[in-house]
């Protein structure tokens, strides 16, 4: 039927051609734009340049040095041409972790000068700025941690002062000294105090530093920060502000710090009944989750492959958050030894969550659990909207303690002997089809 229909690149819809250009690196976009007039016009399409990402070798040139040979360094002319030609289309600028500090510094300096040169703001569509500093390098002596102080911090402060109408700001792993923080929040608030809605400040300083300057921003509704930037006073300020969602995120660079007092959290519940807290662990850290006693926590996320969910932590979570917890997820495939015995696995911890948290609607498990435990979780919590278990983490057995009559039930033992009968039983309990998830699909969550 379609044998006589000829198709070519010329017949490709504009929206698909733009999607292809979005996937290309900027250098390859420029090369493709020289193929024909249509591709040249697509190169300047707004959708192609909505998100600008600074990566390692982008906007660099080769230069020869007698003592070092050819080296790649920032090309000011390329950077200026790029900003002048397509900068007005940027909606989001992301500076990824780059080990070439000089390249990051030069780009920030040129961008700051470009924004400050014009009377009218040259990037009217810009609403998002994400900056993550590479604070860790590896040398002969081992791992070395750097801060963003000095000239780079000075240029970053001037850049943030020149930006306008930002709605989403992310500054991660700056690792500043306390004395270097002065003036940074004032620079951000100079033009964006009323427009910022979402802010992420992780590992802002090397040592505990409460971010009291959050009061400079009037319309922030979501704040993501590290536990070392919170104390009783900051929590009370947030409860009386526009912030309604607080994400407390810890990672490998999170320093030792104490939790906010339970008296402060109880006061927050009285002042802001709709204030919600998310506890999250990210990256390759082995530090246990820092719990906030009696905080209004509704989400707990383990986004680390190196951490298990111990039974002791589950006990405290149920004690503190049994009436508020709605979401619990392990998002990464485990990179730790997976024990096969019941008492060494996390079966009892997950079963306790399902039985003790009436508002829980999402449970995502990456650790090993038995088929019997999966069946009992479904039966004890049939209202679960999302229940995900890894296929490779599901053990075909019923090895629970004899003190728990649920595991001694003959019907449960019979069903748990097969993956097929386990899926059928859980599907019957939920009233919809349920199967364990493959690792390939689990990585896409």
């Amino acid at each position: 039927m379609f044998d006589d229909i000829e198709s070519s690149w010329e017949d490709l819809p504009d929206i698909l051609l733009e999607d292809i250009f979005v996937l290309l690196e900027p250098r390859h976009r420029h090369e493709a734009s020289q193929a024909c007039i249509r591709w040249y016009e697509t190169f300047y399409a707004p959708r192609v340049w909505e998100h600008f990402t600074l990566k390692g070798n982008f906007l660099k040139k080769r230069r020869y040095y007698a003592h070092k040979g050819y080296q790649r360094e920032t090309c000011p002319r390329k950077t200026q041409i790029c900003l002048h030609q397509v900068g007005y289309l940027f909606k989001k600028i992301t500076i990824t972790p780059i080990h070439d500090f000089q390249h990051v510094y030069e780009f920030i300096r040129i961008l700051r000068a470009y924004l400050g040169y014009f009377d009218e703001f040259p990037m009217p569509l810009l609403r998002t700025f994400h900056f993550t500093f590479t604070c860790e390098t590896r040398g002969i002596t081992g791992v070395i941690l750097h801060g963003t102080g000095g000239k780079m911090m000075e240029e970053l402060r001037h850049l943030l002062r020149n930006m306008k109408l930002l709605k989403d700001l992310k500054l991660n792993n700056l690792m500043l000294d306390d004395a270097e923080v002065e003036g940074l929040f004032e620079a951000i608030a100079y033009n964006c105090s009323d427009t910022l809605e979402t802010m992420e400040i992780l590992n802002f300083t090397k040592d505990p530093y409460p971010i009291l300057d959050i009061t400079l921003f009037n319309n922030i509704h979501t704040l993501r920060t590290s536990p070392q930037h919170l104390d009783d006073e900051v929590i009370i300020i947030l409860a009386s502000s526009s912030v309604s969602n607080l994400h407390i995120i810890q990672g490998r660079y999170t320093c030792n710090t104490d939790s906010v007092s339970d008296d402060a959290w109880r006061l927050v519940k009285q002042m802001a009944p709709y204030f919600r807290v998310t506890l999250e662990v990210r990256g390759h850290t082995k530090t246990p989750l820092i719990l906030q006693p009696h905080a209004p926590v509704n989400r707990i996320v383990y986004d680390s492959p190196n951490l298990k969910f111990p039974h002791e932590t589950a006990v405290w979570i149920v004690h503190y958050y049994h009436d508020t917890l709605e979401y619990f997820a392990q998002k990464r495939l485990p990179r730790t030894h997976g024990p096969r015995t019941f008492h060494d696995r996390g079966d009892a911890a997950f079963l306790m969550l399902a039985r003790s948290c009436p508002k829980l609607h999402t449970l995502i498990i990456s650790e090993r659990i038995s088929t019997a435990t999966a069946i009992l979780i479904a039966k004890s919590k049939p209202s679960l909207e999302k229940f995900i278990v890894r296929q490779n983490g599901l053990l075909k057995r019923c090895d629970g303690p004899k003190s728990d009559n649920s595991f001694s039930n003959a019907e449960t033992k019979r069903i748990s002997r097969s993956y097929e009968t386990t899926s059928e039983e859980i599907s019957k309990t939920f009233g919809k089809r349920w199967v364990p998830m493959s690792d390939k699909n689990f990585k896409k969550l």
Side-chain angles (χ1 to χ4, degrees), residues 17 36 85 140 158 232 253 262 351 374 382 399 431 440:
L17 191 58
C36 62
Q85 295 290 334
I140 299 176
H158 290 315
D232 292 6
Y253 304 122
D262 53 351
L351 196 54
D399 56 350
K440 181 179 179 179

Side-chain angles (χ1 to χ4, degrees), residues 280-416:
E280 183 174 349
V281 184
R282 287 184 186 175
H284 296 273
T285 180
K286 296 183 180 180
T287 305
L289 178 67
I290 299 175
L291 299 179
Q292 304 291 334
H294 299 289
V297 173
N298 69 328
R299 293 169 61 94
I300 296 178
V301 179
Y302 278 77
D303 195 5
S304 172
N306 301 324
L307 283 181
K308 299 179 181 179
F309 185 51
H311 187 267
E312 298 79 10
T313 302
V315 171
W316 286 111
I317 287 176
V318 169
H319 176 68
Y320 290 143
Y321 320 129
H322 66 277
D323 56 343
T324 59
L325 187 64
E326 302 175 2
Y327 181 100
F328 181 93
Q330 294 177 316
K331 292 188 174 182
R332 300 282 287 274
L333 296 180
R335 291 293 181 267
T336 57
H337 172 68
R340 302 186 69 87
T341 60
F342 181 88
H343 295 288
D344 294 329
R345 298 195 311 265
D347 295 53
F350 296 116
L351 196 54
M352 182 188 298
L353 283 184
R355 290 173 172 174
S356 305
C357 300
K359 294 184 178 181
L360 188 69
H361 60 71
T362 299
L363 182 59
I364 302 175
I365 303 173
S366 66
E367 294 184 32
R368 283 179 171 177
I369 63 171
S370 67
T371 50
T373 300
I375 293 170
L376 293 178
I377 289 176
K379 288 186 175 181
S380 61
K381 198 69 176 175
S383 60
L384 277 177
E385 298 175 7
K386 183 180 290 187
F387 177 47
I388 298 177
V389 178
R390 289 173 49 241
Q391 185 174 357
N392 290 337
L394 200 57
L395 301 177
K396 192 165 49 177
R397 60 180 62 180
C398 181
D399 56 350
K402 296 181 179 179
S403 57
D404 191 336
N405 296 330
S406 302
F407 287 98
S408 304
N409 184 280
E411 184 67 12
T412 301
K413 289 183 177 181
R414 182 188 65 80
I415 296 173
S416 62

Side-chain angles (χ1 to χ4, degrees), residues 55-296:
K55 296 182 180 180
N57 290 324
F58 182 44
L59 299 176
K60 283 188 174 184
K61 66 178 181 180
R62 292 180 66 196
R63 185 172 181 178
Y64 181 79
Y65 292 90
H67 57 289
K68 293 191 295 185
Y70 282 103
Q71 300 291 322
R72 299 194 67 87
E73 61 181 27
T74 307
C75 180
R77 181 174 176 274
K78 285 184 180 179
T79 307
Q80 293 170 4
I81 292 175
C82 175
L83 295 176
H84 180 70
Q85 295 290 334
V86 296
Y88 68 96
L89 300 174
F90 294 171
K91 291 185 178 181
K92 177 179 180 180
I93 296 178
T94 300
I95 301 179
T96 59
I98 300 174
H99 290 283
D100 188 351
F101 298 153
Q102 183 65 27
H103 182 45
V104 178
Y105 168 77
E106 288 294 333
F107 176 78
I108 292 176
R109 182 184 64 82
I110 296 172
L111 180 59
R112 185 266 304 169
Y114 174 77
L115 296 180
Y117 179 78
F118 299 93
D119 294 333
E120 294 186 6
F121 190 61
M123 295 184 178
L125 303 179
L126 185 64
R127 296 295 180 269
T128 304
F129 179 71
H130 291 175
F131 175 66
T132 302
F133 184 66
T134 308
C135 61
E136 178 182 304
T137 59
R138 296 184 180 273
I140 299 176
T141 58
V143 177
I144 304 174
L145 292 180
H146 304 273
T148 325
K151 292 185 177 180
M152 186 178 295
M153 190 64 225
E154 183 179 351
E155 290 294 338
L156 181 61
R157 188 182 293 111
H158 290 315
L159 172 62
L160 293 172
R161 185 181 180 87
N162 288 340
M163 287 187 168
K164 299 179 181 180
L165 303 178
L166 288 181
K167 290 187 177 181
D168 181 13
L169 177 65
K170 181 187 296 185
L171 299 174
N172 290 346
N173 301 336
L174 298 187
M175 303 293 284
L176 301 173
D177 294 326
D178 292 353
E180 296 171 331
V181 178
E182 183 179 358
L184 182 59
F185 283 100
E186 288 80 358
I188 300 171
Y190 185 76
N191 287 313
C192 303
S193 61
D194 294 326
T195 60
L196 269 180
E197 299 176 357
T198 303
M199 180 182 288
E200 180 172 305
I201 305 290
L202 301 183
N203 305 313
F204 192 57
T205 56
K206 300 176 183 177
D207 302 312
Y209 183 90
I211 50 173
L212 298 172
D213 294 326
I214 198 68
T215 55
L216 297 172
F217 308 97
N218 303 320
N219 296 313
I220 289 182
H221 58 73
T222 301
L223 175 65
R224 302 183 183 93
T225 189
S226 302
Q228 69 261 32
H229 303 318
L230 300 173
D231 62 6
D232 292 6
E233 186 176 359
V234 173
I235 289 298
I236 300 302
I237 290 174
L238 292 178
S240 58
S241 68
S242 60
V243 176
S244 57
N245 295 297
L246 174 63
H247 296 245
I248 305 177
I249 303 171
Q250 64 184 87
R252 62 183 303 176
Y253 304 122
T254 302
C255 63
N256 294 328
T257 185
D258 296 327
S259 302
V260 178
S261 69
D262 53 351
D263 292 335
W265 284 119
R266 287 191 174 97
L267 183 58
V268 166
K269 289 182 178 179
Q270 297 176 6
M271 295 174 58
Y274 298 103
F275 192 86
R276 291 295 177 262
V277 177
T278 298
L279 301 181
E280 183 174 349
V281 184
R282 287 184 186 175
H284 296 273
T285 180
K286 296 183 180 180
T287 305
L289 178 67
I290 299 175
L291 299 179
Q292 304 291 334
H294 299 289

